Amino acid sequence: MVRGCERVSPMREAILLVGGQGTRLRPLTINTPKPMLPVAGVPFTVHQILRARDAGITRIVLATSYRADVFASFIADADLGIDVVIATEEVPLGTGGAIRFASSFLEGGPQDPVVIFNGDVLTGLDIDALVNTHQDSAADVTLYLTQVADPRAYGLVPTSPEGRVLQFLEKPQTPEEIVTDQINAGCYVFTRSVIEGIPEGRPVSVEREIFPELLAAGQTVMGVVDPGYWLDLGQPMDFVRGSVDLVVGNAPSPAVVNPGGSLVLAEAVIDATARVDGGTTIGVGSRIGANSQINASVVFDSAVIGSDVTITNSIIGEGSVIGDSCVISDSVVGDFAQVGAGNELRAGARVWVNAQLGDRAIRFSTDK
Ligand code: GTP
């Protein structure tokens, strides 16, 4: 029985979009899909799944495509305290097509809310408040919006004072086109029956196709601006920042129990004269040599860092070997690469998976 305005607590379902190729994070995503890259000790997707669980989501469908095998073997062994189901597209269907395909794995009714998460966004979003706004306003879709200082790289989403979405604007080119600082933050709630209206069996973009169509058709599209933490981890330097923010406790996650200055995982060996700080993570079984300094960086598992090495704001791939006296800043070293002694990698340099660099070279890149 429902009394007065008491809220019914439905089973809450979610779809986590994790099927993209993660091209901007190459070469890290050659072996591992972006949401499965380790961040603060666990695959990024675990931070998202646990936040969803803690917000009352009881069932989550992982919409996979690229390297779906990596998700399947991880989920088979994981106990995350939430029902996780894997939906795999044979060919990538884009964000909208993936939602449509994954919806056949949902169990709720046509009026139930379905929360959709992009698989690469780290947030402090109040998920419960987003779902409540969606239900209270009887919306078809409700988007999570965040405000950014420089919105030029994003699609803008202006809203009315009541929170109704007025427009979806592609990346603004001129100052006049910047009509708001609100952007689509990569999480939204659909009423399930609205998902059934997305075309089946072909690639569809939810951002470019479905949202503008719903608006043009006069459906109720709401936007909720959440002032909490937000970061898209799609680019290397943002990936490093997100990892650091989780380690030091700036970004919230149930998977980070004791935030601190650095995170050193099991069986890592750090020489007593080395310094590891600034929110750095040192992966399982990695080794750091004498007098090396690792600041605000991510070292994946089983990497070997020599002596007198300086690493800042960088990602060092699994099983890679960094020779003595290297200087690496704002750069990415792919899995199992070997970087000879005395190399300098700076300003967006990327070393490919399995690459071998001889001793003493200086490599710069303007690739951001
Ligand atoms: P880039 O290639 O670097 O742009 O990264 P991406 O592949 O993650 O693309 P993007 O950031 O635009 O994708 C947003 C979210 O949707 C991410 O969580 C992707 O994993 C997911 N995604 C993108 N395309 C597909 C798809 O075709 N199928 C599925 N299941 N998910 C997708």
Side-chain angles (χ1 to χ4, degrees):
M1 185 174 72
V2 179
R3 276 173 285 132
C5 56
E6 222 173 64
R7 196 183 288 284
V8 186
S9 177
M11 178 185 74
R12 284 200 177 154
E13 294 187 297
I15 296 172
L16 183 52
L17 296 173
V18 291
Q21 299 209 0
T23 47
R24 290 166 298 158
L25 271 187
R26 283 182 187 157
L28 299 172
T29 46
I30 296 295
N31 294 326
T32 310
K34 179 167 54 176
M36 287 299 293
L37 289 171
V39 182
V42 294
F44 180 66
T45 205
V46 170
H47 295 284
Q48 287 191 301
I49 292 173
L50 296 187
R51 285 205 82 243
R53 179 200 66 189
D54 288 0
I57 307 273
T58 55
R59 194 157 183 282
I60 195 158
V61 181
L62 290 193
T64 66
S65 174
Y66 176 68
R67 297 301 313 260
D69 54 311
V70 181
F71 294 95
S73 55
F74 175 77
I75 293 300
D77 296 337
D79 179 8
L80 300 173
I82 177 173
D83 194 7
V84 182
V85 181
I86 295 189
T88 303
E89 299 140 48
E90 275 180 28
V91 290
L93 292 172
T95 46
I99 295 168
R100 179 72 178 92
F101 179 71
S103 72
S104 59
F105 294 76
L106 298 173
E107 292 180 342
Q111 292 313 310
D112 285 338
V114 181
V115 188
I116 319 282
F117 299 99
N118 275 6
D120 52 3
V121 178
L122 180 60
T123 79
L125 167 69
D126 184 341
I127 299 168
D128 211 37
L130 186 73
V131 176
N132 290 343
T133 300
H134 180 78
Q135 294 187 299
D136 292 347
S137 50
D140 295 293
V141 175
T142 303
L143 285 91
Y144 160 36
L145 308 177
T146 191
Q147 293 169 298
V148 292
D150 182 2
R152 280 175 302 179
Y154 305 94
L156 308 186
V157 187
T159 49
S160 72
E162 300 74 39
R164 271 191 94 120
V165 171
L166 300 172
Q167 264 180 303
F168 289 98
L169 297 163
E170 277 306 307
K171 293 173 189 168
Q173 305 296 320
T174 62
E176 296 74 46
E177 287 174 339
I178 303 178
V179 296
T180 178
D181 58 0
Q182 298 173 184
I183 64 161
N184 174 356
C187 172
Y188 21 90
V189 185
F190 268 83
T191 297
R192 180 162 179 195
S193 59
V194 177
I195 297 179
E196 312 302 324
I198 298 174
E200 257 186 305
R202 69 163 170 91
V204 180
S205 163
V206 75
E207 300 88 352
R208 287 190 296 277
E209 211 172 318
I210 301 304
F211 290 153
E213 277 177 18
L214 290 173
L215 212 53
Q219 294 196 252
T220 308
V221 182
M222 302 295 291
V224 173
V225 180
D226 186 294
Y229 184 97
W230 179 84
L231 187 66
D232 177 338
L233 274 67
Q235 314 246 21
M237 291 309 105
D238 292 329
F239 182 89
V240 175
R241 212 177 103 209
S243 178
V244 164
D245 280 346
L246 280 164
V247 169
V248 302
N250 286 344
S253 169
V256 179
V257 185
N258 292 312
S262 61
L263 176 64
V264 177
L265 298 176
E267 295 163 39
V269 179
I270 298 174
D271 188 274
T273 59
R275 208 177 74 207
V276 171
D277 55 17
T280 292
T281 298
I282 306 293
V284 175
S286 287
R287 300 208 305 268
I288 313 294
N291 300 313
S292 287
Q293 300 190 15
I294 323 289
N295 178 256
S297 293
V298 185
V299 177
F300 288 170
D301 295 349
S302 308
V304 178
I305 315 284
S307 310
D308 301 301
V309 172
T310 303
I311 299 177
T312 313
N313 286 330
S314 295
I315 308 167
I316 308 298
E318 179 182 350
S320 57
V321 178
I322 310 296
D324 295 343
S325 306
C326 283
V327 177
I328 301 178
S329 63
D330 305 312
S331 294
V332 176
V333 175
D335 294 343
F336 306 105
Q338 302 203 1
V339 178
N343 274 284
E344 291 188 29
L345 305 171
R346 296 185 192 272
R350 300 191 197 199
V351 177
W352 208 252
V353 171
N354 297 326
Q356 302 200 349
L357 298 192
D359 292 351
R360 303 213 184 280
I362 301 180
R363 293 160 214 273
F364 296 93
S365 166
T366 51
D367 176 20
K368 291 277 176 192

